Structure formats: structure tokens, C-alpha cells
Amino acid sequence: MFLLSFLENKLFDSYRDGLLFHEYWEIDFDSDIDNLDFTLLDRANGFYFFELEEYTYELAQLIRRRYPEKRICFGDKMAREFFPESDIKIYKGHWEFYEKENPVGYLYVNSKRNQTDYMRTIPYLTGHYSSIQLMESLLWCKKRVRMGNKNEGKTIFLLDFSTSAHGMVDILKYGYIWIMIARSRGWIPVMKLDRFPNQYLEQEGENMWEYFFDPVSEISLADAMQSAEVVSAWENELSLGDSTGNPYFADRLLMVFQELEFSPGKTFNQIVRKNRELEQFLEENLLPEFRIEGNRILGVVARGTDSTKEMLEKGSGYKDSAKVKGIEQVIRRSRECAAIWNCNYIFVATEDEGYFRLFSDAFGEALLFVEQKRVEMDVNDTEVYICDKLGLKNTEKRAFAKQYLLAIYCLSKCHVLICNRKHCGADFLSRMWNAGQYEYKEIV
């Protein structure tokens, strides 16, 4: 039966259409034991496995060897065929386990076949994981390379991700998460965003991060590339926005949004630091209306183009029509908020040409904006995302990104902020840079 289950899982994996970043069919914990990350298993008091399958079997074996003092429980009677009864406890179900054990601090581990049920949960708050997440927690950094003799005794985490179609704020947000993961392990993070695809990289081999931001540690990229122990994101096949598999990433993602809500920018702004060139550009190009004492400015993020209902449906990303507000509603609420908060100007940030024209018609000379390339998306276009539609030449990418960051900088200087998409890039970064100084903010 176990063999049949194993084959069933493997067949299931073949038709899963890429829900998981990694798959571990040839598991060999012993050969990589020194490079495994036991943080998650270390902090558990015990383990309850709902089902016996190939991953829960291997995990239970590893736990028996490494933590003989910790209780292992199964809710699957098949486990009796593979483990001595003295090493594990078997229960008829979760209800019996909960009734007879003291499960404080236990990890609850479900089958990887239920991975989709666990991708959107908050594991460290619920204690529930799928077996693939535990595998990821152990094996995500197992490949270490020696690149030279520098920095002996230190581990360098080389953030050399493919940024694919990630936008600027995703790069900053997810990069920040990986930096925090590295620091929590005593590693030294080093950014190396120097390969295509990358929307903002002008020439392969340059470090796109340092176009706009300071290095994230005292170790230079040149020194990192000659270090004695390097964990490379690229070599470990890590994804920049790996929120589905790696539980450490999911934990940190929640913490980022907690920071955004309760202490925006407190840690983020210390780690993701604008470089001198970008600081100078933003200050020199801040719109003059922001410098005049007495002006009160309402900031509006009007996320459009690929975020509209029709485009989301085309890209299979449309979930709930209630979350996609019509532009007329956004304009109406902008007018209301400007009156309530005594704002004499409205600054709009939008990449959507159609939205921009409607704001211009509605507010005329009271409308402030940054000159930037805007587009109109059409459901008949072959491109689904704005990065495809813009068709930027490599030599235009840095300038385009600076104008985008200028718009967000202006938003961060507004008195009031409203946005039509919660946690979109402009909403996220303007709130971090504003550091909690908005008098009022709202998601329309």
C-alpha cells in the first residue's frame, strides 16, 4: 500500500502544473547533514504526521536520529509497518492525539498532496505545515560553494536571484525578506542582481541593486565572490518571491506586513537604503508644490493596466470583482477625501494612460503628477503585463525606474494617501518611506 501511495504521489506531482518550486525524489539527508537548516525542527516540542508518505517517512526517520527525546506521532496506522512502536505513537486521528497528548509547541505535518491548502496559511502562527514545507525548511540552503580564501569563518549569502518579471518594489520587498533571513542565521547578505531577465538592468554583469540602493552589508560583491563559504540563491534554485514553499520566507513576509501596519519603515528603511545618487535625484526633482508651506496634498495610487478586471481575467489572476474598483469610484473618493482633509492639490501616481486622462479631466490644474511613460492595456493585446507593453530599451530602464521611484517619493510626502489596490508596489513603498506620518490613509 505504501508503494502504491508513493507511485500515486509521483503521478500526482507530474500533473501538478508547477505548484512547487522543488521536488525531492532522491532524498539523502546524510550527505548534506552539515548544510541542512534545522531551525524549524529545533524549535518544535514534538511532531504529529497526519499521513505516511515518502516525505513524512524520511522526515520521521531524520527526527528519530537527531531528536530521540522528541515525540513522533502518526495519524496513519500504516506507520506501524515502518517504525518500531517504541519510537512513535499511532493514533486513530487528530482528535485522539489531541485528547491523549500535550501538543503544546508541536508541528502538525500534512501530506504534500495538501500543499495547496498550506500555501496561503501562516505556518508559524498555526503550527501546520505540509511535508514539502518541512523539506524546504531543511534543504533550501544545502549547496555551499568555496569561491576563494576570503572571509574564513563567515557564511556569505549571495542574493543572485533571477528577478524575472518582478517589479521594482517586489525586488525591494522580497530582497529585504531574504536579507532578514540571512541575518537571523548570522550570515552576511550580499546583493548580486546582474543577470537578465531583470526589468531594470541595463547591461548584464552590472549590479542592478546598486543603481539605486546602497550595499546591504559591509562585504563588497568582489570580496563575496572570493569567499570561503558562499550560499548562492541561484545555485540553490531559490525564487525571489518564494512564498509557497519556504516556510521561513512565509514567516518573514507576515512580519514585513506587520511592520508596514504598525511601524512602517522602522527596519526596512535601515536595510533598503537609497544611495547618494538616488537621494540627490529625488530631492532635486521633488515637485515645487511640495516645498511650499501651507499646501496640503492628497496622494492617490491608481493602479491600472494589468490590474484591471479584464486584464486580470486574461492573466488568470482575477479572484474577486469587489477588489477591483472602477476608476470613477476612485476619482469620487479622491474628491471627497480632498475636501475632508482640506487638500488643495491631488498628486496621482498611475501607469495607466486612460486613468491619467480621467484624473486630468476631473481635477485640472489642481492635479500634480510625475512625467513618466504610461500605457493603455487592451484585452486584445498579446502582452498581459505592463513590463511587456512598455517595450523599454535597455538604455531607458534606469531612467524609467528613477521616475517611478520619484512618483513614490512624492506620494510619501503627501498628507493623506488613498489607494485602489492594497499592498501594490506604490502603496507599500510610499508607506514605508512615509514612516507613519500620514494623517489618514485608505484603500478605496
Side-chain angles (χ1 to χ4, degrees), residues 141 159-160 220 388:
C141 56
L159 289 92
D160 53 347
S220 70
D388 300 320

Side-chain angles (χ1 to χ4, degrees), residues 54-330:
E54 68 273 22
Y55 286 2
T56 54
Y57 170 78
E58 293 288 351
L59 288 164
Q61 290 279 47
L62 177 65
I63 292 165
R64 285 173 63 223
R65 297 198 305 270
R66 188 173 178 88
Y67 309 99
E69 76 286 359
K70 293 187 179 184
R71 173 85 81 176
I72 299 172
C73 303
F74 270 90
D76 186 340
K77 63 183 180 181
M78 186 67 67
R80 284 197 185 93
E81 305 298 323
F82 294 88
F83 297 97
E85 290 196 33
S86 59
D87 288 359
I88 66 169
K89 288 284 291 183
I90 296 177
Y91 292 99
K92 294 177 182 177
H94 185 206
W95 63 271
E96 185 185 22
F97 156 75
Y98 201 82
E99 186 177 77
K100 294 185 178 181
E101 294 285 341
N102 179 25
V104 177
Y106 270 59
L107 291 188
Y108 298 86
V109 188
N110 215 314
S111 168
K112 64 176 185 165
R113 289 181 294 174
N114 298 91
Q115 169 73 2
T116 52
D117 296 331
Y118 288 86
M119 287 196 304
R120 299 176 182 86
T121 62
I122 305 165
Y124 91 98
L125 292 181
T126 64
H128 283 255
Y129 297 80
S130 70
S131 58
I132 190 74
Q133 288 174 315
L134 257 64
M135 296 295 289
E136 289 280 329
S137 78
L138 287 161
L139 297 165
W140 71 277
C141 56
K142 68 187 179 77
K143 293 181 181 178
R144 313 286 174 97
V145 292
R146 187 178 185 92
M147 304 181 75
N149 297 316
K150 291 190 174 182
N151 302 306
E152 288 280 2
K154 298 178 180 178
T155 300
I156 307 300
F157 185 29
L158 197 61
L159 289 92
D160 53 347
F161 294 97
S162 166
T163 55
S164 187
H166 287 101
M168 174 65 74
V169 179
D170 278 351
I171 292 172
L172 304 187
K173 177 172 61 182
Y174 297 144
Y176 172 54
I177 289 171
W178 285 111
I179 291 164
M180 296 301 287
I181 290 172
R183 289 187 171 189
S184 71
R185 282 153 178 75
W187 299 350
I188 301 173
V190 176
M191 275 290 181
K192 183 177 181 286
L193 304 184
D194 62 351
R195 62 163 61 89
F196 295 115
N198 181 315
Q199 292 187 70
Y200 311 103
L201 183 64
E202 293 191 344
Q203 183 174 329
E204 197 154 24
E206 297 178 347
N207 190 353
M208 169 256 148
W209 180 270
E210 293 183 9
Y211 286 172
F212 313 106
F213 302 96
D214 282 340
V216 297
S217 72
E218 71 281 8
I219 302 291
S220 70
L221 179 54
D223 277 2
M225 299 302 291
Q226 300 175 57
S227 294
E229 181 171 84
V230 178
V231 178
S232 160
W234 180 265
E235 292 297 328
N236 282 281
E237 302 178 52
L238 299 178
S239 168
L240 182 65
D242 191 357
S243 59
T244 58
N246 190 307
Y248 303 126
F249 186 96
D251 294 353
R252 287 286 173 180
L253 182 60
L254 175 68
M255 293 178 193
V256 168
F257 287 122
Q258 287 175 332
E259 177 182 346
L260 184 65
E261 292 301 322
F262 302 112
S263 54
K266 183 177 180 180
T267 305
F268 179 88
N269 292 339
Q270 294 177 19
I271 292 174
V272 182
R273 303 184 310 275
K274 299 182 284 289
N275 65 23
R276 183 177 299 178
E277 179 187 342
L278 180 61
E279 285 272 21
Q280 185 176 345
F281 171 82
L282 296 177
E283 189 54 35
E284 289 177 353
N285 290 278
L286 181 68
L287 300 185
E289 289 82 0
F290 285 91
R291 304 181 192 277
I292 299 174
E293 188 174 352
N295 277 347
R296 289 184 55 79
I297 302 173
L298 170 77
V300 183
V301 178
R303 183 81 165 84
T305 58
D306 54 322
S307 183
T308 62
K309 174 178 180 293
E310 294 78 14
M311 295 307 299
L312 288 172
E313 285 176 335
K314 180 179 179 182
S316 301
Y318 178 66
K319 303 297 181 187
D320 179 2
S321 60
K323 295 182 180 179
V324 184
K325 303 297 192 298
I327 189 60
E328 294 81 7
Q329 183 176 346
V330 179

Side-chain angles (χ1 to χ4, degrees), residues 338-386:
I340 293 168
W341 294 95
N342 299 315
C343 295
N344 55 320
Y345 284 103
I346 292 174
F347 178 86
V348 66
T350 183
E351 79 289 1
D352 191 302
E353 179 64 32
Y355 282 12
F356 178 74
R357 285 198 305 269
L358 291 171
F359 265 89
S360 297
D361 293 343
F363 298 107
E365 293 185 359
L367 187 71
L368 305 178
F369 56 90
V370 165
E371 291 288 354
Q372 62 185 104
K373 195 169 185 178
R374 295 182 174 87
V375 296
E376 273 190 282
M377 301 295 264
D378 187 278
V379 292
N380 296 315
D381 288 345
T382 56
E383 303 95 342
V384 173
Y385 300 107
I386 187 172

